[in-house]
Structures are given as C-alpha cells and as structure tokens.
Amino acid sequence: MKRNDILWKSILEDTFEDFLRFFFLNADDIFDFSKDFGYLDKELEQLFPPEDDHYASKFVDKLVKVYTKEEQEEWILVHIEVQGYTDNLFSERMFTYYYRIWDKYGKRTTALAILADENKHYYPSCFKQSFLGTSLRFEYNILKVLDQCDRKLAESDNVFAHIIMTVKIALKSKKLNDKNLFDLKIQLARRLLGQKISKPKIAKLMKFLKFYVVLNDPFLAASYNEEVYNLTHKTYTNMGIDEAVIYIEKEEAREEGIEQGRKEKSTAFTKSLLNDKRFSLEEIAELVDVPLEFVLEVKDSM
C-alpha cells in the first residue's frame, strides 16, 4: 500500500491534464490548460496535522490549483482521493477535507474519489447529517475502477485510461496465476508502447505498470523486464543504419544533458524516503529505480 500510495501521487502529477479530461468530458471548455497547475500537497497536509490521528495523512490525496476559462482570471481547487479499501468513514473524511479547504482558501472546490478497491458493493459518494431542523448533504464525484469497461479503456486515446487498466489488472492479480498475470501485463505494455505518446510520459506509464502490477515469480519478472527491453528497442529496426546512428547519438547527447538533473532528483527522492524511515533500502532502490549501491551512497552522505 505504501508503494502504491507513492506511485499514485507521482502518476497523478505526471498525467493530471489527462486525468481531468478522463473525468470531465468537457474539460477543455472548463479548464485553461495553458496555465500551469499548482500542487498544494504540503498545504493539504497542514490541514491535517499529525496529532489529528483520525485524519492524519495515511491515504493518497492531492490538492491542485487549476485555472478556468471564465472571463475573469479565476482558479479553483481539485481535491483527489484514491481509496483502495472499504472504509465506512470515507465520506465523512471527504467532507472534512472539503470544509477545511474552504476555510483556508475560500475557493470553489471539486472533490473526486478514485475507488480502487475490490468491493463491488462499495460506492461512497455522499455525507449526510441532520439534527433538529438543521441538515447537510455533501456529494462528491467518484470513479469506480472495477466498473470501467475494458473495451472502452483499450480504445481510448486518453493516457489516463491506461492507468485505470493497470489498476484493474492489479485488482485481478489475486485471482490469476502468475503466468496469466504476466500475459496481461505484457499485453498492456505492448499496447502502451504502440500508442503515440511522448517518450517522457510513456516512461512514467511504464514505471507505474512495472511497480503497480507485481509478478511474484522471479523468472517471470525477469522475463517481463527482458520483453519490455526488446519492445522499446524495436524502434531501431525500422531505421536505416545511418539514421539509427544519428538517432542514438542525439538520444545519448540529450541523456547526457539531463543526467545531472536526473541524478539530483533521484538523490532528493532517495533522501526523503530515507528520512521517512518506513521503507527498507531495497524498497527505496526499487521505488526510485536506482541501484542499491546508489541508495547506500546517499545514506552514507547524510
């Protein structure tokens, strides 16, 4: 769950524009995508300090500042919760987030819950309260992963549809043997790599798939990594020799130029996970996608 929390937080930022378009069919008429999003996760955590045990930061939550296309420059807030298990207090928590966000910002907020649980009968969407003539009804948007149609997800050109497909495969994993799970994972990897999606975004999606859908069999896990490697390197087979050489040289130059920035980000991420003290060194290496030696080096430098 801790690993999945981190994966969700990261992928929501990496694909937030796609997420809005997936959730709201008229997103392009509502939101101004020419303006940057503002991620207010730290501010959201401050609304629920550690001593407030019941609402402490134990769940995947995002608070994002988004500009709209209204005549006057205006921004609203998008609050997202990813709920991976049945919780009878979930709607109460959503309402508590809402009124604390309103108290701090005084801005219109849309609340969205992604229900990534296995319970077919779990559909929280409303918090109600009534006493002596005073009543309250708070409703929020939900996306139930189990209810999403496989065919429509596969046909969708929205990147976020692939994320939902990944989560559906993970939910099926308990009912499948490793070989069937491997086959499903490879099918989705092939579909992803066949899409016209930017390389940086493909890399994020492939990482989400790699770590969210876990293959327990070491041989199949290694086979998956090898298959993905072969798939990603097929790019060169359709090029002439000279064209391929030029392409590779450009890629190497680009990689060299951003390597320093990537190393700095990996170092910062590794330090934050080490300070968190919830993960083993091996888990940190897997989450950051770096060798164990890199984690040990960062740990020794702290």
Side-chain angles (χ1 to χ4, degrees):
M1 285 300 296
K2 293 174 183 176
R3 178 191 59 201
N4 288 352
D5 288 354
I6 293 173
L7 289 171
W8 267 114
K9 281 180 177 289
S10 175
I11 202 67
L12 281 170
E13 287 194 17
D14 294 330
T15 64
F16 189 69
E17 185 173 327
D18 305 287
F19 164 75
L20 288 179
R21 288 194 171 106
F22 186 88
F23 219 112
F24 301 107
L25 297 180
N26 57 341
D28 286 285
D29 298 325
I30 302 172
F31 306 112
D32 187 349
F33 290 119
S34 68
K35 293 184 171 63
D36 292 337
F37 303 123
Y39 298 99
L40 308 176
D41 293 4
K42 290 184 178 179
E43 289 82 350
L44 186 62
E45 289 176 8
Q46 291 172 4
L47 297 178
F48 296 86
E51 60 270 16
D52 192 352
D53 291 335
H54 187 60
Y55 294 107
S57 183
K58 311 172 196 173
F59 313 93
V60 181
D61 49 68
K62 301 290 291 183
L63 183 63
V64 189
K65 177 180 177 181
V66 183
Y67 282 90
T68 67
K69 286 187 173 180
E70 295 174 333
E71 291 183 5
Q72 296 181 342
E73 186 174 279
E74 178 65 286
W75 56 272
I76 55 94
L77 291 167
V78 179
H79 170 223
I80 309 165
E81 285 279 323
V82 181
Q83 181 67 12
Y85 57 91
T86 301
D87 179 5
N88 293 330
L89 296 176
F90 180 72
S91 290
E92 180 183 343
R93 185 167 84 249
M94 290 293 287
F95 171 65
T96 305
Y97 269 108
Y98 182 84
Y99 75 68
R100 291 193 187 181
I101 291 169
W102 172 259
D103 187 51
K104 180 176 177 63
Y105 295 99
K107 286 288 187 177
R108 292 174 298 166
T109 300
T110 180
L112 316 169
I114 301 174
L115 304 177
D117 61 284
E118 302 175 68
N119 187 343
K120 296 180 180 180
H121 307 290
Y122 181 59
Y123 286 89
S125 62
C126 177
F127 174 73
K128 296 182 290 184
Q129 193 177 79
S130 179
F131 182 68
L132 294 178
T134 298
S135 62
L136 169 74
R137 181 181 177 88
F138 171 71
E139 297 180 353
Y140 51 92
N141 303 282
I142 65 168
L143 173 68
K144 184 77 170 180
V145 173
L146 283 178
D147 289 348
Q148 303 306 301
C149 173
D150 290 343
R151 179 182 57 80
K152 290 183 178 180
L153 289 173
E155 294 173 352
S156 175
D157 58 0
N158 187 302
V159 168
F160 199 77
H162 297 292
I163 297 170
I164 298 300
M165 289 180 70
T166 300
V167 178
K168 286 199 74 175
I169 291 175
L171 289 174
K172 295 176 182 177
S173 63
K174 293 181 181 179
K175 301 177 182 178
L176 299 173
N177 59 45
D178 262 11
K179 181 59 172 66
N180 289 335
L181 184 60
F182 170 84
D183 291 340
L184 282 176
K185 192 171 181 178
I186 284 294
Q187 286 174 21
L188 183 53
R190 286 172 178 162
R191 187 178 294 124
L192 267 174
L193 292 168
Q195 299 290 317
K196 294 181 179 179
I197 304 173
S198 67
K199 287 185 178 179
K201 193 168 286 188
I202 276 287
K204 299 289 186 182
L205 291 167
M206 292 299 292
K207 189 171 185 178
F208 186 81
L209 173 60
K210 177 180 178 180
F211 292 115
Y212 202 91
V213 180
V214 179
L215 292 167
N216 295 314
D217 185 320
F219 175 78
L220 288 177
S223 297
Y224 172 81
N225 291 336
E226 182 179 357
E227 180 72 14
V228 168
Y229 177 85
N230 292 333
L231 287 170
T232 54
H233 285 72
K234 279 185 178 179
T235 306
Y236 304 135
T237 62
N238 297 322
M239 299 180 180
I241 297 297
D242 293 339
E243 192 178 355
V245 170
I246 293 172
Y247 177 83
I248 294 171
E249 287 177 347
K250 285 183 177 179
E251 284 297 297
E252 288 177 345
R254 185 182 66 84
E255 286 295 328
E256 185 177 348
I258 66 174
E259 180 60 31
Q260 186 61 36
R262 183 189 293 123
K263 185 176 181 180
E264 290 174 359
K265 287 183 179 179
S266 295
T267 300
F269 189 24
T270 300
K271 285 182 177 180
S272 68
L273 292 176
L274 286 168
N275 289 327
D276 193 277
K277 300 185 186 304
R278 292 184 298 169
F279 305 96
S280 68
L281 297 179
E282 290 77 9
E283 287 174 327
I284 292 174
E286 185 180 10
L287 287 169
V288 185
D289 199 15
V290 295
L292 180 59
E293 291 74 15
F294 180 87
V295 178
L296 292 170
E297 184 180 332
V298 173
K299 185 174 183 292
D300 291 339
S301 69
M302 294 175 63

